[in-house]
Amino acid sequence: MKEQVYINKTSEVYDAIVIGSGISGGWAAKEFCERGHKTLMIERGRVVEHRKDYTGENTPMWKQELRGRVDNILVDQQHHIQKQCYAFGNTTKHFFGNDRDLPYTTKKGTEFSWIRANQLGGKSLLWHRQTYRLGEYDFNANKLDGHGNDWPIRSKDIEKWYSHVEIHAGISGSKENLPNLPDSEFLPPFEMTSPEKAIQAKLAELYPERPLIMGRTAHLTQPSELHVSQGRVKCQARNECHAGCSYGAYFSTQSSTLPAAAKTGNLHIAPNSVVHSLIYDEKTNRVKGVRVIDNDDLSEREYFAKVIFVCASTIGSTQILMNSVSKKFPNGIANSSGVLGHYLMDHNYNSEASGDIDGFEDEYYSGRRPSGIMIPNFYYKQNPKRGFLRGYALGGGAYREGWDSQQHQDGLGAEYKNKLKHAGKWRFRLFAQGEMLPRFENQMRLHPTLKDKWGIPQIEFDVRFSQNEKLMMEDATEQSINMLKAAGLTNVLGNSKHGPPGLAIHELGTARMGRDPKTSILNGFNQSHDIPNLFVTDGASFCSSAVQNPSLTFMALTARAVDFAVKELAAKRI
């Protein structure tokens, strides 16, 4: 296999520049390279090599500094925002951004938590790997209730691209033939525990319209020959994924798309290159290149290409577009519609419920399964009596209290050691993942005076959950409690919280696609309405959030957009 080629300065004009190296950027680079196009991937952070740089992997808690606890002084100085992320810990903190160097502001009275991972591979090293297709209901929702613009695509337009990326990435799950959650190309699902199977059966009897299914996740439960050829093997069920996986058992840029791109010999990478703005040629109405600031010495350089794919994450991509101004586009490149930065969405996780499960004291499980269960959105049909629009999915699973909670308790000697040998009671938890309505007033913008250390204007967020999302979470809590009690759980408790947007890390919508150039940034192929050789294929392109985790759709939209761009290049239309 050919090695990745890292560059600094060059005057070469590439076929394609891909900004960002996370899930979307990795797929863009792979697809361009495999079609014979010389491609430059620009990454603002450092190089992370597969296996070699997973420094927290295979480090048991008793071998970790401070026994797995993170130094509070370090956290306060560098990670006071990043520490809120579920994946942040002693073995993963080096994959997170340094808040001291990555400032942003929020409008008074609002909150937003911006989780960042600036290195080769981006957040593909840290994502929770849940992978679900959007369905016809999701693509129709805006049109049906009038919130947001109508998606310019439907399930039939993206179905084959879902299959294309699923076969390569490897998605475990079970075929359910549900009208509200399309099936994927599946590897075998992970197995439910005995309590989960019992609850599944009880809910099927009492709530047949609310099936409990195994979570669909980007893990190799049974690798294909294609996966083995990528150097990937079966998931070992260690659930240490966020520290990096040398087995390549879960999908990431490092394990899958990057080696596929490098194998062609067409991939070049410019790391430590913070994109300042796009270089626009008004005479040709094309983006001819990218202006970057060196991450280390703050020097400037430029790169050039025939087509530009912006895949720097929803907020990162939008910041780049906003900072690319010219006489024709004084409010951000490709922003003739004026909607750039608006309609910012994130999923709503502000509800949970749990209870005790009796009768399975002799049951346990093998390994540490890296996925839970899911109850798909059962509010996918409109109902004016419901009191709120759209719906939510429920995630969760059964677990046994025990070693994880006991190892930090006080104790000494044989009595303490014996206590650690015994698992506690079984419990079952549900949490909601709710849809957030697309609203013009939820936005990000460039701060008029504050800049970061690279001289780029900071982002100011003005975003909040609406009354619709609050009512949705109250309903989720009520329904979860009712379902758990009906299933026979005891000591059932639940609550609705009021956490801010951002922590779902599913930012979407700030450079949305649409049919009308007056109300959208991109067309149905993720191509700019205003500038034909400019594409945005990450979450910024979404018209609505649906309830599903969005990463699988990032992959499919990106592969589809590259296919379109390659044909347009061949026809000399871009």
Side-chain angles (χ1 to χ4, degrees), residues 17-20 42-44 272-278 289-294 303 310 312 316 319-321 323-324 454 456:
I17 284 178
V18 176
I19 302 173
I42 300 178
E43 167 53 49
R44 67 179 291 152
N272 293 301
S273 300
V274 179
V275 175
H276 177 277
S277 54
L278 306 181
V290 177
R291 186 177 296 107
V292 308
I293 309 296
D294 190 276
Y303 298 113
V310 186
Q319 184 179 31
I320 292 168
L321 298 177
N323 201 43
S324 304
W454 300 279
I456 299 171

Side-chain angles (χ1 to χ4, degrees), residues 230-306:
Q230 296 173 24
R232 304 171 64 195
V233 298
K234 183 177 180 179
C235 177
Q236 305 298 301
R238 302 178 301 164
N239 199 22
E240 298 179 3
C241 315
H242 302 123
C245 180
S246 292
Y247 297 100
Y250 76 81
F251 172 84
S252 68
T253 297
Q254 269 81 352
S255 69
S256 186
T257 49
L258 195 61
K263 185 178 180 179
T264 67
N266 292 321
L267 178 66
H268 293 73
I269 303 173
N272 293 301
S273 300
V274 179
V275 175
H276 177 277
S277 54
L278 306 181
I279 304 170
Y280 174 65
D281 185 344
E282 191 166 341
K283 291 182 180 179
T284 60
N285 190 36
R286 298 291 189 275
V287 177
K288 65 179 184 180
V290 177
R291 186 177 296 107
V292 308
I293 309 296
D294 190 276
N295 195 20
D296 297 321
D297 63 20
L298 304 185
S299 61
E300 296 185 15
R301 54 181 179 269
E302 297 177 345
Y303 298 113
F304 302 94
K306 300 172 185 175

